Amino acid sequence: MTTNEKVLIKVENLQKSFEDNKVLDGISTEIRQGEVVAVIGPSGSGKSTFLRSLNRLEIPTGGKIYFEGVDITAPETDIDHVRQKIGMVFQQFNLFPHKTVKENIMLAPVTLKLMTPEEAEKKAMELLTRVGLPDKADAYPGSLSGGQKQRIAIARALAMNPDVMLFDEPTSALDPEMVGEVLEIMKELAESGMTMVVVTHEMGFAREVATRVVFINEGNIQEENTPQEFFANPQHPRLREFLSKVL
Ligand code: ADP
Ligand code: MG
């Protein structure tokens, strides 16, 4: 697991409480360039809170998070600037319903003046081809299936040329027959070298695509390992119990 790749995200003793509910209880880990980290664990264990903390959608109550060396927990850090480098894909797509697919993808780079409309359109069409939906450029999200919406959401996140992609249960809201097409796009993205952190219940994806699997339970990383070791040799009794239920 130790590689020479550069550390993109460093998490030090991350804590988060909502009032007296301690949700994250001292998480420390590093995400290196090119890693595909699958985060698994029971419902309510803090997986989303952890992921959302990585781009400060949640503000930690303790600890530090560094993104490319910048302390994003520091109040003076320009988080909007950092977020340009962090793509995020949610369970519920969050596409703008009154904009076409192409406009959804072009919106952020054009609004932030990172690309001209012409550049953004070219990029959008490239990405639509990459996710297999070039013919949907002028469609509205409402006319798409869940699987298509999620592929568009991935394309939209990629339009910003992020350094890392965060996924929070990207297939959990999909009908079963649409899960595969989204996982396939994510697998291709992983193979292209993208750094990814993926909260998922898809154990096949964790086993086959992840470079590291992390088990979060009760707000802490209880175990992490290569997929092979993680699934063949789980150590923590709680992980064994969890795996016995989901495999
Ligand atoms: P997971 O993604 O592993 O299911 P979450 O990170 O969503 O878990 O939630 C962990 C705990 O934090 C839960 O008890 C949840 O109720 C609580 N929680 C999450 N977000 C909030 C919030 N905005 N306000 C209060 N409690 C929250
Ligand atoms: Mg969650």
Side-chain angles (χ1 to χ4, degrees):
M1 248 183 299
T2 45
T3 71
N4 294 322
E5 297 301 333
K6 99 171 182 201
V7 175
L8 278 191
I9 303 173
K10 185 173 173 61
V11 180
E12 279 178 4
N13 195 26
L14 174 63
Q15 299 172 43
K16 176 68 178 177
S17 297
F18 294 102
E19 312 215 319
D20 56 1
N21 182 14
K22 192 185 269 188
V23 172
L24 298 181
D25 191 13
I27 289 187
S28 297
T29 192
E30 287 178 352
I31 315 286
R32 288 173 183 268
Q33 188 142 32
E35 275 198 293
V36 178
V37 178
V39 177
I40 71 170
S43 180
S45 58
K47 304 182 298 298
S48 293
T49 304
F50 168 66
L51 200 71
R52 291 164 57 80
S53 300
L54 299 183
N55 61 359
R56 216 165 82 186
L57 289 176
E58 301 291 352
I59 299 173
T61 41
K64 294 272 182 214
I65 300 173
Y66 299 91
F67 181 81
E68 296 179 346
V70 175
D71 177 4
I72 68 161
T73 49
E76 65 270 21
T77 296
D78 178 1
I79 194 64
D80 291 330
H81 187 71
V82 175
R83 283 183 186 143
Q84 292 179 12
K85 294 279 135 211
I86 305 178
M88 185 141 186
V89 175
F90 302 89
Q91 192 173 325
Q92 295 295 345
F93 328 126
N94 299 353
L95 297 173
F96 295 105
H98 302 300
K99 293 192 182 296
T100 66
V101 161
K102 193 167 67 183
E103 288 165 351
N104 265 277
I105 299 172
M106 293 168 59
L107 187 66
V110 172
T111 307
L112 295 168
K113 296 193 163 50
L114 301 171
M115 294 179 199
T116 65
E118 294 72 28
E119 288 166 343
E121 182 167 13
K122 183 162 175 279
K123 178 86 179 172
M125 291 313 299
E126 283 169 15
L127 288 166
L128 282 170
T129 301
R130 185 164 172 188
V131 300
L133 296 168
D135 53 327
K136 297 295 184 189
D138 298 315
Y140 285 87
S143 69
L144 304 178
S145 72
Q148 290 171 335
K149 281 183 202 165
Q150 197 58 301
R151 286 149 70 191
I152 300 300
I154 293 170
R156 183 178 58 175
L158 290 173
M160 292 290 289
N161 295 317
D163 290 345
V164 59
M165 287 279 284
L166 310 178
F167 294 85
D168 194 356
E169 297 198 30
T171 61
S172 293
L174 301 178
D175 291 334
E177 72 269 26
M178 291 167 189
V179 170
E181 66 192 62
V182 172
L183 292 179
E184 185 57 34
I185 297 294
M186 292 170 61
K187 184 177 175 192
E188 288 169 17
L189 191 56
E191 285 167 354
S192 78
M194 178 61 74
T195 309
M196 297 164 59
V197 184
V198 184
V199 175
T200 187
H201 295 295
E202 295 291 333
M203 295 302 142
F205 180 88
R207 194 194 290 269
E208 286 153 33
V209 182
T211 56
R212 174 157 57 109
V213 187
V214 168
F215 178 60
I216 292 189
N217 189 36
E218 294 176 353
N220 237 312
I221 295 179
Q222 286 192 332
E223 195 153 334
E224 58 182 317
N225 217 326
T226 60
Q228 197 179 352
E229 277 300 305
F230 186 93
F231 290 107
N233 263 323
Q235 300 297 311
H236 200 287
R238 190 63 190 83
L239 174 57
R240 290 185 196 177
E241 184 198 343
F242 180 78
L243 291 177
S244 74
K245 286 179 185 157
V246 297
L247 289 179

